[in-house]
Amino acid sequence: MQVTGAQAVMRSLEELGVEVAFGLPGGAILPAYDPLLDSTVRHILVRHEQGAVHMAEGYAHATGKVGVTIVTSGPGATNLVTGLTDALMDSVPVLAITGQVPTAAVGSDAFQEADVTGITMPCTKHNEMVAQPERIPGAIKEAYHIAGSGRPGPVLVDIPKDVLNATLEWRWPEHLDLPGYRPTIRGHGKMVRDAIDLISRSRRPVVYAGGGLVRAGAEQEVRELAELLELPVVTTLMARGVFPDRHELCLGMPGMHGEWTAVMAMQEADLLITLGARFDDRVTGKLSAFAPNARIIHVDIDPAEIGKNRPVDVPIVGDAKVVVGQLVDIARKAGDAAKPDTGEWRAQLRTWRNEHPLRWEQDDAGPLKPQTAIRAIGERFGDEAIYVAGVGQHQMWASQLLAFSAPRTWINSGGLGTMGFAVPAAIGAKVGRPDRRVVAIDGDGCFQMTLQELATAKQHDIPVVFAVINNGFLGMVRQWQELFYDGRFSEVELPPDLPDLVKLADAYGIPGFRASTVAEMAPILDKAYEITDQPVLIDVRVDPTEKVFPMVPAGCGNDEIIESADEWYARQAAQRQGHDS
Ligand SMILES: Cc1ncc(C[n+]2csc(CCOP(=O)(O)OP(=O)(O)O)c2C)c(N)n1
């Protein structure tokens, strides 16, 4: 059967079971938007292509499937770059289809021409410009497979307009022809046995659980392993929820703004059982001072991660779900012999947790503290909701203070730290999981980077709760200026009424509510909770002076963690005195 290249694009997506694509048309991709009208693929029209790629990411985060975005050539494609980089850093499976100028015009600086495969080479797992119409089904099938398999990531297929307009004999390739692309799934048997041996001989082990466990769907296996061997677990920013926060073995989040006990447990550990995590600098702090006495087991599907930042004692390449399953099997067979003696260590960790809880002070009559507001949101919407965050203080408080009991209920931009992520990613998450409440907890700075997508949410009746934690500042930058630049605030003020967010909600045709005090919080949350058929915006006015603690100051080792501003200033003063005397 003869089809056009454009029809082949849509048909390929249908063959792959793609339900939805996020995009915005333009000249070069126009041919593909015509057969879209007759396709089973649902299309969500965005207001900015950055919105489309973050929506695809949010969809992928929430569902585990590949998120799809379709945009035009030149500026349409370049607007994807931030999202593609974001997806690469956080291993999010995304398929991007971009239009390109006609083949004959490529290289001529034609209208809306950009070297998209060149530009996106370093920020995609793989990309291809399709030269022949017959290649379209194979290119899309392969791209989809590469995006979702192995270490997931973004893959881009660029198709010139003449290739979309040309005809081909439709043929869906039965087999994938990807020589050299064969991710290792099963861990090496000897390494797995060595890992169990090392675990059994440890006294202060910690499971360092990373986002790879979420991508692999390994929550069951990691829980079995931890319970079987009584291993304490830290869950990184990307792994929140993969091990339940309320579990007695859970220590919470490590890292720059991690919980004191999680940070110190890693630091004092004699063994880190690293599962789908990558020794990111936000977790390790000063690398040379990180976990000095710990031996390292490192499980990762990407061999390039192993030993990249920290030498490894037992390297295991494989899918985290499969490898952790293998570890559980061997440990079961070994019985008590596999079980380390962690009693003393766990008692120590319990003491630390009691002595070092997260703290903030809320005066009921005083300004609303962001922590109080975020806790209240978490309690109102519960563990069942999916929470999506922007980047900054609100993201750290949300990660610290919401209780996660399942994976894929916490979505954020961890590796790239992309402001503007939350609004579109929350929309994508809700499209993927219409059965769940989706709450975006955003900063006023982040929100203003992609707020135009409120129109997308309204137009398509996507009922997300957008909660803006409005402190009138680029709060995280303000925090650094206060602590590390003597309170010299430079270019961080965003007047909280500009724009007036309740009026803005009105302009977008959605309900908007405001709370500025503790007493006002519960009623507006109740109102927002009742609205389930359209988006809703809440403007939460909070104390701009509040800071995120604990904190491992940049460049410091994790043992230099501070729990309050007073502690930081006291340390500075002591250092100055040391210099003076
Ligand atoms: C696109 C982008 N630009 C700049 C930054 C640097 N940055 C990190 S956090 C932050 C402040 C965020 O402010 P806001 O959204 O109001 O959140 P808050 O920290 O106040 O909670 C900035 C500017 C970034 N992460 N991303």
Side-chain angles (χ1 to χ4, degrees):
M1 182 187 159
Q2 292 280 309
V3 295
T4 65
Q7 287 168 331
V9 170
M10 285 307 144
R11 192 139 169 203
S12 300
L13 295 179
E14 287 166 7
E15 291 279 351
L16 291 165
V18 171
E19 313 162 317
V20 59
F22 305 91
L24 194 148
I29 196 71
L30 251 177
Y33 271 79
D34 184 73
L36 182 67
L37 286 173
D38 311 314
S39 170
T40 57
V41 176
R42 178 183 175 200
H43 184 270
I44 307 261
L45 174 64
V46 300
R47 299 302 184 270
H48 186 296
E49 289 86 353
Q50 185 182 354
V53 60
H54 291 324
M55 283 178 207
E57 286 188 274
Y59 174 90
H61 269 280
T63 61
K65 300 179 198 166
V66 177
V68 178
T69 175
I70 306 175
V71 303
T72 196
S73 66
T78 56
N79 275 347
L80 295 184
V81 167
T82 300
L84 295 173
T85 312
D86 191 273
L88 189 72
M89 292 282 271
D90 286 346
S91 308
V92 186
V94 167
L95 167 62
I97 297 176
T98 51
Q100 181 53 279
V101 300
T103 313
V106 169
S108 72
D109 290 343
F111 177 64
Q112 294 195 327
E113 184 191 358
D115 174 7
V116 171
T117 47
I119 290 168
T120 63
M121 177 92 79
C123 65
T124 50
K125 184 174 170 186
H126 173 71
N127 70 21
E128 174 177 349
M129 186 161 101
V130 174
Q132 304 290 339
E134 295 75 25
R135 171 74 191 132
I136 288 175
I140 292 179
K141 183 170 179 170
E142 288 164 20
Y144 190 88
H145 175 73
I146 293 170
S149 59
R151 179 179 185 165
V155 179
L156 182 140
V157 180
D158 194 36
I159 316 177
K161 190 168 184 179
D162 57 313
V163 178
L164 288 170
N165 281 330
T167 50
L168 63 145
E169 181 65 25
W170 170 257
R171 199 181 65 83
W172 183 239
E174 268 174 40
H175 302 290
L176 285 164
D177 184 20
L178 290 169
Y181 181 74
R182 222 162 267 108
T184 304
I185 303 300
R186 264 188 90 72
H188 191 287
K190 177 177 180 310
M191 293 298 174
V192 174
R193 285 192 300 277
D194 284 356
I196 292 296
D197 185 46
L198 211 52
I199 294 172
S200 69
R201 288 188 284 118
S202 67
R203 289 293 171 271
R204 297 190 309 281
V206 173
V207 174
Y208 167 18
L213 290 171
V214 179
R215 299 288 176 264
E219 59 273 12
Q220 191 57 40
E221 288 76 4
V222 76
R223 186 165 178 163
E224 278 173 25
L225 183 73
E227 287 178 350
L228 192 63
L229 302 179
E230 294 184 320
L231 305 169
V233 180
V234 300
T235 52
T236 69
L237 180 66
M238 297 314 292
R240 305 285 294 122
V242 83
F243 190 75
D245 277 330
R246 298 184 215 276
H247 197 289
E248 59 151 353
L249 289 166
C250 189
L251 306 177
M253 179 174 76
M256 178 177 266
H257 291 297
E259 288 188 50
W260 198 94
T261 305
V263 173
M264 289 313 285
M266 289 183 94
Q267 198 62 10
E268 298 291 313
D270 66 354
L271 177 67
L272 291 178
I273 304 150
T274 312
L275 309 174
R278 60 189 175 87
F279 297 88
D280 179 83
D281 56 283
R282 279 295 194 267
V283 167
T284 63
K286 190 165 131 197
L287 193 58
S288 58
F290 174 66
N293 301 315
R295 309 199 63 185
I296 307 285
I297 296 168
H298 195 172
V299 176
D300 206 292
I301 193 146
D302 182 352
E305 282 301 337
I306 293 182
K308 186 180 81 180
N309 294 330
R310 169 82 184 233
V312 173
D313 297 281
V314 180
I316 309 179
V317 178
D319 176 88
K321 183 177 172 71
V322 174
V323 175
V324 181
Q326 289 176 272
L327 289 167
V328 170
D329 283 348
I330 305 250
R332 272 236 169 82
K333 281 194 196 109
D336 279 347
K339 204 164 166 177
D341 179 2
T342 61
E344 213 174 297
W345 176 228
R346 284 184 293 122
Q348 162 89 84
L349 296 171
R350 269 194 300 276
T351 310
W352 281 351
R353 276 179 84 76
N354 287 330
E355 287 172 358
H356 298 275
L358 292 166
R359 341 165 203 246
W360 71 97
E361 277 163 29
Q362 177 69 64
D363 173 355
D364 276 351
L368 177 60
K369 295 288 180 177
Q371 298 96 324
T372 307
I374 288 169
R375 258 282 156 83
I377 293 170
E379 278 163 10
R380 189 69 190 86
F381 288 89
D383 295 13
E384 288 300 297
I386 295 174
Y387 296 93
V388 185
V391 172
Q393 292 180 309
H394 63 281
Q395 173 194 27
M396 292 298 123
W397 285 315
S399 181
Q400 291 176 343
L401 296 165
L402 300 172
F404 300 103
S405 55
R408 305 194 178 285
T409 57
W410 168 245
I411 297 175
N412 78 137
S413 164
L416 195 62
T418 307
M419 287 175 72
F421 176 82
V423 171
I427 293 171
K430 183 70 187 174
V431 169
R433 292 301 307 266
D435 54 321
R436 292 289 185 103
R437 299 301 301 256
V438 174
V439 183
I441 296 182
D442 212 0
D444 47 319
C446 292
F447 181 71
Q448 292 186 70
M449 289 204 178
T450 47
L451 70 83
Q452 73 280 2
E453 303 304 337
L454 289 180
T456 306
K458 172 70 181 174
Q459 183 180 348
H460 295 274
D461 292 326
I462 303 166
V464 172
V465 177
F466 298 98
V468 181
I469 307 301
N470 188 352
N471 56 8
F473 280 94
L474 296 168
M476 188 56 100
V477 181
R478 184 187 197 279
Q479 169 162 346
W480 281 52
Q481 290 179 344
E482 184 173 337
L483 295 177
F484 311 126
Y485 293 84
D486 291 331
R488 285 162 55 84
F489 297 121
S490 173
E491 302 301 325
V492 282
E493 194 172 351
L494 305 170
D497 280 312
L498 190 62
D500 178 326
L501 294 180
V502 174
K503 284 190 187 154
L504 183 93
D506 192 38
Y508 279 103
I510 67 176
F513 309 108
R514 173 170 297 134
S516 311
T517 63
V518 177
E520 285 167 359
M521 203 56 208
I524 70 156
L525 285 176
D526 286 345
K527 283 190 205 159
Y529 192 83
E530 293 308 316
I531 297 167
T532 54
D533 58 348
Q534 64 166 325
V536 49
L537 173 64
I538 57 176
D539 177 21
V540 185
R541 297 287 178 91
V542 297
D543 182 354
T545 65
E546 197 59 28
K547 287 172 281 296
V548 186
F549 288 107
M551 179 174 196
V552 178
C556 290
N558 279 343
D559 45 1
E560 297 179 70
I561 186 168
I562 50 170
E563 291 183 273
S564 69
D566 290 345
E567 199 182 326
W568 172 250
Y569 292 126
R571 191 192 296 177
Q572 297 284 93
Q575 268 173 7
R576 268 197 301 273
Q577 253 176 2
H579 287 307
D580 293 345
S581 55

